[in-house]
Amino acid sequence: MATLTRVPLVFSSNRVAPAPAASLNHKCNCVASSSPLTRKLPHCSTPSSLSFNPFSSSFPSFSTRQNKGFRRTSLVVASMADLSTVLVTGAAGRTGQIVYKKLKERSDQFVVRGLVRTPESKETIGGADDVFVGDIRDTTSLVPAMQGIDALIILTSAVPRMKPGFDPTKGGRPEFYFEDGAYPEQVDWIGQKNQIDVAEEAGVKQIVLVGSMGGTNPNHPLNSLGNGNILVWKRKAEQYLADSGVPYTIIRAGGLQDRDGGIRELLVGKDDELLQTETKAIARPDVAEVCIQALKFEEAKFKAFDLASKPEGVGNPTKDFKALFSQITTRF
């Protein structure tokens, strides 16, 4: 009768522990690149919670069930690394809040960050750790929020204020002004240019910029508000982005409405042609949805277009965004 001999299990010295996905947060003894905006990740060891020495006598004996669990953990970490990291600037604004919330709800597709101007603004959208406080007029303050992002959605804009003392019962028109340091030249031109520059240095893969229709007309009434020439400066920032070489999507929205989205047929146009029609307004949630959908389709890249919608109940609600973007032929 043959004799069976029990042979002890030996871990080969050639076996290497699987490396964690790049996005896993862990402490490691590694040295990052000297550039604050580099997108290259340092080489480092496995996470401390999963590290082991295959030659140590204290190495745990994993059961088949535990090995499967380890593989599942690795797959989850890898899938997190595949998510697109998106920064929304102006995240406390009326449209910015909607974009930020929509991206948070799609955590299986995106890792979202927000950028706001003040700590108070941060609290208005929940005060989460993924919301950064920064000044778009100061490039240094933008670096932490933009480090490692894949996409940037710019929703910052100068906001005119009504001068006090206006009495609508007396007729006439209200007068507007911009606060010091918040003129369109500083916010819509310099501020947006700064965002584009810092994002480009960070290696961003796409920038979505939300502007306004009316930029082809230097005498548009919006330009007279506070003598700010807001559409002129917005148009200049749009041109700067188009010339940057970074893949872009420029959305020139019509009159923004605080209504429900997803229930109207969307319209795209060029050169303010939609302003000559009756369909020149759009709900903020629809603008937000187009911003997000633009990150998902190649047909949206290197495109600039006007955006409005048909009235509710007219036409069919837009669901096929690839087809919508395919209608656009204008690069600027």
Side-chain angles (χ1 to χ4, degrees), residues 36-37 115 132-147 190-191 193-195 197-199 201:
L37 292 173
L115 179 75
F132 295 76
V133 177
D135 186 344
I136 62 174
R137 300 166 300 178
D138 174 18
T139 55
T140 304
S141 73
L142 301 178
V143 171
M146 294 203 181
Q147 186 173 0
I190 296 173
K193 177 181 179 295
N194 287 343
Q195 294 177 67
D197 288 342
V198 176
E201 186 179 347

Side-chain angles (χ1 to χ4, degrees), residues 18-325:
S23 66
L24 186 65
N25 245 334
H26 65 279
K27 296 180 180 179
C28 61
N29 298 320
C30 56
V31 180
S33 167
S34 59
S35 172
L37 292 173
T38 181
R39 294 183 56 78
K40 293 182 179 180
L41 293 173
H43 295 289
C44 57
S45 61
T46 56
S48 57
S49 60
L50 297 177
S51 61
F52 59 86
N53 180 357
F55 305 107
S56 169
S57 59
S58 61
F59 175 66
S61 176
F62 288 156
S63 68
T64 302
R65 182 184 298 270
Q66 288 172 316
N67 273 322
K68 289 181 179 179
F70 182 80
R71 286 195 295 270
R72 282 197 299 270
T73 301
S74 299
L75 289 172
V76 170
V77 171
S79 65
M80 289 173 61
D82 293 336
L83 300 181
S84 179
T85 299
V86 183
L87 173 65
V88 180
T89 62
R94 285 189 287 174
T95 305
Q97 287 189 45
I98 300 171
V99 176
Y100 176 77
K101 181 180 178 181
K102 280 177 172 283
L103 288 168
K104 291 280 280 188
E105 292 170 349
R106 302 176 197 188
S107 58
D108 60 327
Q109 302 175 55
F110 303 101
V111 175
V112 62
R113 299 177 189 173
L115 179 75
V116 297
R117 190 166 55 91
T118 65
E120 292 75 20
S121 295
K122 177 174 179 175
E123 292 305 316
T124 64
I125 57 174
D129 291 339
D130 57 26
V131 178
F132 295 76
V133 177
D135 186 344
I136 62 174
R137 300 166 300 178
D138 174 18
T139 55
T140 304
S141 73
L142 301 178
V143 171
M146 294 203 181
Q147 186 173 0
I149 63 171
D150 297 298
L152 169 65
I153 301 178
I154 299 177
L155 283 156
T156 53
S157 178
V159 180
R161 309 287 184 184
M162 185 184 298
K163 289 185 177 181
F166 173 70
D167 186 352
T169 63
K170 296 181 179 180
R173 295 183 177 181
E175 295 184 10
F176 293 86
Y177 72 99
F178 291 94
E179 295 178 347
D180 289 342
Y183 276 81
E185 180 180 4
Q186 297 162 305
V187 177
D188 294 279
W189 164 232
I190 296 173
Q192 292 190 1
K193 177 181 179 295
N194 287 343
Q195 294 177 67
I196 295 165
D197 288 342
V198 176
E200 183 176 10
E201 186 179 347
V204 71
K205 299 173 184 176
Q206 184 179 1
I207 296 177
V208 176
L209 172 60
V210 178
S212 301
M213 286 198 286
T216 61
N217 179 13
N219 298 316
H220 193 283
L222 286 178
N223 286 326
S224 65
L225 295 181
N227 295 316
N229 285 317
I230 188 168
L231 296 181
V232 173
W233 295 115
K234 284 181 179 291
R235 196 79 171 187
K236 188 170 183 178
E238 293 169 7
Q239 186 68 65
Y240 186 80
L241 174 58
D243 293 339
S244 69
V246 176
Y248 64 87
T249 306
I250 298 171
I251 302 169
R252 300 180 182 120
L256 296 171
Q257 299 177 326
D258 295 313
R259 297 183 177 180
D260 292 337
I263 55 177
R264 298 173 186 83
E265 182 174 332
L266 303 184
L267 302 171
V268 293
K270 62 178 182 177
D271 300 329
D272 293 331
E273 292 173 349
L274 291 173
L275 290 179
Q276 310 306 317
T277 71
E278 296 300 318
T279 53
K280 48 192 174 186
I282 186 165
R284 292 181 188 274
D286 286 331
V287 175
E289 187 63 34
V290 172
C291 289
I292 297 171
Q293 293 294 332
L295 303 177
K296 301 168 65 174
F297 296 102
E298 289 294 320
E299 288 80 4
K301 292 182 178 178
F302 298 104
K303 301 281 183 73
F305 55 93
D306 301 339
L307 181 66
S309 68
K310 292 182 179 180
E312 184 178 348
V314 178
N316 299 311
T318 298
K319 303 298 181 184
D320 187 345
F321 288 91
K322 181 176 182 179
L324 182 73
F325 296 133

